[in-house]
Amino acid sequence: MNKNLRKAIIAGNWKMNKTRPEAKALLEAIKPLVANADGKIEVVACVPFTNLETALAVTEGSNVKIGAENVHFEKSGAFTGEISADMLTELGVEYVVIGHSERRQYFGETDETVNKRTLAALNAGLKPIVCVGELKWERVCGITEEVVGKQVKLDLYDVTAEQMKNVVIAYEPVWAIGTGLTATPDQAEEVCAFIRATLAKMFDQATADAVTIQYGGSMNAKNAAELLAKPNIDGGLIGGASLKAEDFNVIVQAAVNG
Ligand code: PGA
């Protein structure tokens, strides 16, 4: 495997945090810290819908890209409370998190809706960060590969090899999210390598080699370098640690130096 074949992406997932003034302050703190990553790795902040316009304005002309945390699959219509892919692209949003385990767990997201959202995002020109990962008991039962393999196949159904150039996959073991329990670098590498092997079967080796696969789940300033040193871990989707500029920057610098 050759890491030079793909771009490292460090993306913050702010979840339901930060008002507009708080978002502005955080991004203004992050921007100068990560400026040296320009041209080396991609730095993304995925923020609540209400912060998108502010975030885009604050980061304009910088190397910090902005993402949303979800998108609906229909183009428009009677879907109260939902946001379409066209609404996001019109704002200037580039990335969107899809199928986060919190959406799957609390909001009834299924592999079918993750797939529909992924296709809608791609067709509108967004770059989806598709999240997959096993529950604790699925790991205990030894079915991590079955679970993650099934998610990858279902979530990316009907996506073409050409479209895969714009897809990012985030491997996030559910038991590691927000718990302080990080997968060991070897555990994370094993599943990320398995995801790449699955993509090679679904598409071809060159397509699989070019896909950025992130690890997510309690990645922080202390453990990032070790995780990012693994050959199949091409970045991180960072929750808690993305809400502090200094911590987020340590992770970005680990990817820059990795
Ligand atoms: P965490 O969240 O870093 O707080 O564990 C990661 C995520 O949910 O994407």
Side-chain angles (χ1 to χ4, degrees), residues 133-205:
E134 81 287 1
L135 303 171
K136 178 83 189 167
W137 69 270
E138 290 168 333
R139 177 166 281 269
V140 169
C141 293
I143 59 164
T144 298
E145 290 193 351
E146 281 94 322
V147 171
V148 173
K150 184 176 159 202
Q151 288 173 333
V152 169
K153 285 179 193 156
L154 295 177
D155 296 353
L156 299 178
Y157 173 73
D158 241 6
V159 174
T160 65
E162 186 59 27
Q163 287 175 316
M164 282 307 291
K165 291 179 183 154
N166 288 322
V167 174
V168 177
I169 296 181
Y171 167 56
E172 299 206 307
V174 180
W175 50 272
I177 295 176
T179 58
L181 289 173
T182 318
T184 65
D186 286 343
Q187 283 174 326
E189 166 64 15
E190 192 179 18
V191 182
C192 290
F194 169 75
I195 291 171
R196 201 175 307 285
T198 304
L199 295 174
K201 281 186 206 145
M202 291 169 67
F203 301 97
D204 55 76
Q205 193 63 51

Side-chain angles (χ1 to χ4, degrees), residues 10 30 65 72 86 101 120 136 148 150 198 200 226 235 241 248 255:
I10 300 295
I30 288 173
K65 305 284 168 59
H72 194 59
D86 288 345
S101 68
K136 178 83 189 167
V148 173
K150 184 176 159 202
T198 304
E226 221 189 331
F248 186 62

Side-chain angles (χ1 to χ4, degrees), residues 4 30 32 35 50 68 78 82 85-86 88 109-110 119 133 147 169 177 179-180 194 213 220 232 254:
N4 297 328
I30 288 173
T50 48
E82 294 296 325
D86 288 345
L88 295 177
E109 195 81 67
T110 64
L119 291 168
V147 171
I169 296 181
I177 295 176
T179 58
F194 169 75
I213 303 179
N220 58 39
N232 284 288

Side-chain angles (χ1 to χ4, degrees), residues 13 15 100-102 172 176-179 216-219 237-241:
N13 172 19
K15 311 193 181 187
H100 190 278
S101 68
E102 286 148 18
E172 299 206 307
I177 295 176
T179 58
S218 301
M219 192 189 260
L237 185 57
I238 324 294

